[in-house]
């Protein structure tokens, strides 16, 4: 079994907090994209794929025929989880039906918030009503496995009502939710607004409060947090992302895509044009690579294990229980929601003291 990620770098504009590797385009060069991805895929043995994930950027900007062409060539028949990240404004009935016909069976929707003022502040191109319509269009087309992304920890002056957003998200009953705390990345519009005092930096207390209230609300509603930022209804964990978190090999195609063979991680050139040119001219698209030492692999397994609800075996390395943060449940050491909040400092603590 193997896993394939395809990075679609195109966006129509840049969101205020985003530092991803994207190419802002009014016209999407779909044909060039399909050709170059298929060319990059040639040397790879893409057999027995368990999951395929179109991430971005905004994969829903690709014409559905381009998605269909890629899936026709890259995928064999079988029980593959095929996810497409989509922005709500791109999800029309026509697109949803075409995606379903092409083999997409899971859609991850960038909802982010149900407050239109907040969405404007984020420079998103959709409003809350479009997210509701998108969910309906996907379900009408037979795509019931829907994940919603939400961002929490926004600056106070936006007066974002996080509990209300959680209620709305919960009422939509997606199979999966991904919750991301707002971070300020260098050279983003948000970074510039903060530098010139036009907005305040996100507040740590608010971040913690909202993260913990999401755990409470969603757990009470039948969702299981199976990773720091991800919750699902039973049976609907993301198989693709779970593969990353359990250290399984995967192939990444497209600009900035990462691949991992179990020991070595490689990543492609970030800029679309540089990547396209390299592949078109028959050169390698890989920008760089790192081979993990045994020690790095062990540390990574501990870190990823602690990020997941499976935790790690008691007695792994020198990790011990920390009351309230890291507890033994079912014979394994697992983070509490408070522990997940502090996970980064826990890992630093351990590696700094041993
Ligand atoms: S749509 Fe996603 S990838 Fe594109 S700019 Fe916004 S956050 Fe970044």
């Amino acid at each position: 079994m193997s896993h394939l990620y395809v990075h679609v770098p195109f966006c129509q504009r840049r969101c205020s907090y985003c530092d991803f590797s994207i190419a802002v385009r009014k016209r999407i060069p779909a044909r060039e994209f399909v050709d170059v991805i298929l060319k990059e895929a040639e040397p790879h043995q893409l057999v027995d794929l368990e999951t395929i994930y179109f991430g971005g950027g905004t994969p829903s900007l690709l014409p559905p025929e381009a998605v269909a062409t890629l899936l026709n060539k890259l995928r064999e028949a079988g029980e593959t989880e095929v996810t497409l990240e989509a922005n709500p404004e791109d999800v029309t009935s026509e697109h949803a039906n075409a995606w379903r016909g092409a083999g997409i069976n899971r859609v991850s929707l960038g909802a982010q918030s149900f407050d239109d003022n907040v969405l404007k502040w984020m420079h998103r191109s959709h409003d809350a009503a479009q997210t509701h319509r998108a969910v309906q269009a996907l379900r009408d087309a037979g795509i019931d496995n829907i994940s919603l992304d939400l961002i929490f920890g926004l600056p106070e002056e936006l007066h974002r009502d996080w509990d209300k957003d959680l209620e709305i998200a919960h009422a939509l009953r997606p199979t999966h939710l991904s919750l991301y705390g707002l971070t300020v990345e260098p050279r983003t519009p948000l970074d510039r607004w903060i530098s010139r005092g036009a907005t305040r930096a996100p507040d740590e207390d608010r971040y913690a409060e909202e993260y913990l209230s999401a755990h409470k609300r969603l757990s009470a509603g039948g969702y299981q947090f199976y990773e720091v930022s991800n919750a699902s209804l039973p049976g609907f964990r993301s198989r693709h992302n779970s593969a990353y978190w359990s250290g399984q090999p995967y192939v990444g195609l497209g600009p900035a895509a990462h691949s991992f063979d179990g020991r070595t991680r490689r990543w492609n050139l970030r800029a679309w044009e540089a990547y396209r040119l390299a592949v078109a001219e028959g050169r390698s698209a890989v920008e760089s690579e790192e081979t993990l030492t045994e020690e790095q692999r062990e540390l990574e397994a501990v870190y990823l294990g602690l990020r997941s609800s499976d935790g790690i075996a008691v007695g792994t390395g020198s990790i011990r229980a920390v009351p309230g943060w890291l507890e033994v449940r079912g014979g394994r050491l697992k983070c509490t929601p408070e522990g997940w909040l502090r996970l980064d400092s826990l890992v630093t603590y351990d590696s700094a003291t041993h």
Side-chain angles (χ1 to χ4, degrees):
M1 288 289 185
S2 54
H3 304 273
L4 173 67
Y5 174 80
V6 180
H7 188 76
V8 186
F10 311 111
C11 289
Q12 283 192 317
R13 56 174 151 170
R14 186 175 282 278
C15 298
S16 58
Y17 50 85
C18 179
D19 76 334
F20 292 169
S21 172
I22 61 163
V24 176
R25 293 284 186 281
K26 281 269 169 281
R27 191 194 73 81
I28 306 305
R31 182 174 295 181
E32 291 98 312
F33 181 77
V34 169
D35 289 349
V36 84
I37 292 291
L38 292 177
K39 188 159 185 208
E40 193 196 357
E42 275 167 17
H44 294 284
Q45 298 278 325
L46 298 175
V47 287
D48 218 5
L49 283 175
E50 187 186 342
T51 68
I52 302 177
Y53 193 104
F54 291 94
T58 313
S60 54
L61 285 176
L62 273 184
E65 313 80 71
V67 175
T69 307
L70 286 170
L71 284 174
N72 270 337
K73 306 265 182 183
L74 296 172
R75 162 180 179 257
E76 306 154 320
E79 274 298 297
T80 315
E81 175 193 272
V82 189
T83 305
L84 181 92
E85 283 183 356
N87 279 351
E89 68 272 24
D90 298 329
V91 188
T92 58
S93 294
E94 197 190 339
H95 282 181
N97 281 311
W99 291 333
R100 185 73 194 106
I104 300 291
N105 50 31
R106 184 173 183 274
V107 167
S108 173
L109 267 184
Q112 317 308 358
S113 173
F114 294 95
D115 178 327
D116 287 343
N117 287 328
V118 165
L119 291 169
K120 270 191 207 127
W121 177 87
M122 290 177 173
H123 289 174
R124 302 293 306 193
S125 332
H126 69 279
D127 59 23
Q130 282 171 306
T131 302
H132 286 274
R133 285 200 292 273
V135 169
Q136 195 54 52
L138 290 169
R139 286 185 174 143
D140 290 347
I143 303 176
D144 295 315
N145 196 357
I146 300 169
S147 179
L148 295 183
D149 285 358
L150 293 176
I151 299 184
F152 65 94
L154 301 179
E156 196 187 337
E157 70 263 23
L158 290 173
H159 303 297
R160 192 270 194 92
D161 187 338
W162 174 236
D163 288 338
K164 189 171 164 199
D165 269 1
L166 283 175
E167 278 310 315
I168 299 172
H170 183 261
L172 278 172
R173 219 56 194 154
T175 51
H176 189 279
L177 284 149
S178 297
L179 311 179
Y180 300 107
L182 183 72
T183 53
V184 184
E185 305 299 337
R187 293 179 296 281
T188 55
L190 175 59
D191 183 35
R192 288 194 290 276
W193 297 343
I194 291 172
S195 308
R196 63 167 193 258
T199 191
R200 255 182 284 169
D203 174 82
E204 273 182 33
D205 292 341
R206 172 180 291 264
Y207 188 102
E209 203 177 287
E210 293 189 354
Y211 180 78
L212 295 175
S213 79
H215 268 265
K216 222 182 201 166
R217 178 66 191 92
L218 296 176
S219 303
Y223 288 88
Q224 299 169 341
F225 271 82
Y226 66 102
E227 199 266 353
V228 178
S229 311
N230 290 277
S232 76
L233 292 175
F236 288 98
R237 293 181 179 196
S238 160
R239 280 156 60 193
H240 186 83
N241 289 335
S242 298
Y244 294 155
W245 302 325
S246 54
Q248 292 177 46
Y250 52 87
V251 171
L253 303 174
H258 284 55
S259 301
F260 182 57
D261 63 10
R263 288 198 76 85
T264 300
R265 194 168 281 128
R266 300 182 174 82
W267 52 96
N268 281 350
L269 293 159
R270 283 173 67 87
W272 158 243
E273 272 307 320
Y275 160 84
R276 187 191 65 77
L277 217 62
V279 178
E281 289 174 356
R283 291 182 278 118
S284 166
V286 174
E287 181 184 81
S288 196
E289 64 177 54
E290 70 170 348
T291 299
L292 303 180
T293 62
E294 199 58 41
E295 201 185 359
Q296 283 171 322
R297 282 169 56 197
E298 279 167 19
L299 187 64
E300 197 167 283
V302 167
Y303 178 65
L304 292 174
L306 289 176
R307 287 180 67 91
S308 88
S309 59
D310 296 337
I312 55 173
V314 175
T316 303
S318 50
I319 312 268
R320 286 178 296 274
V322 181
W325 288 7
L326 195 52
E327 298 174 347
V328 179
R329 270 176 281 133
R332 295 180 68 85
L333 264 178
K334 299 178 184 183
C335 280
T336 63
E338 288 79 8
W340 267 336
L341 249 182
R342 267 106 197 166
L343 182 61
D344 288 335
S345 60
L346 259 182
V347 170
T348 314
Y349 159 82
D350 184 74
S351 53
T353 50
H354 300 279

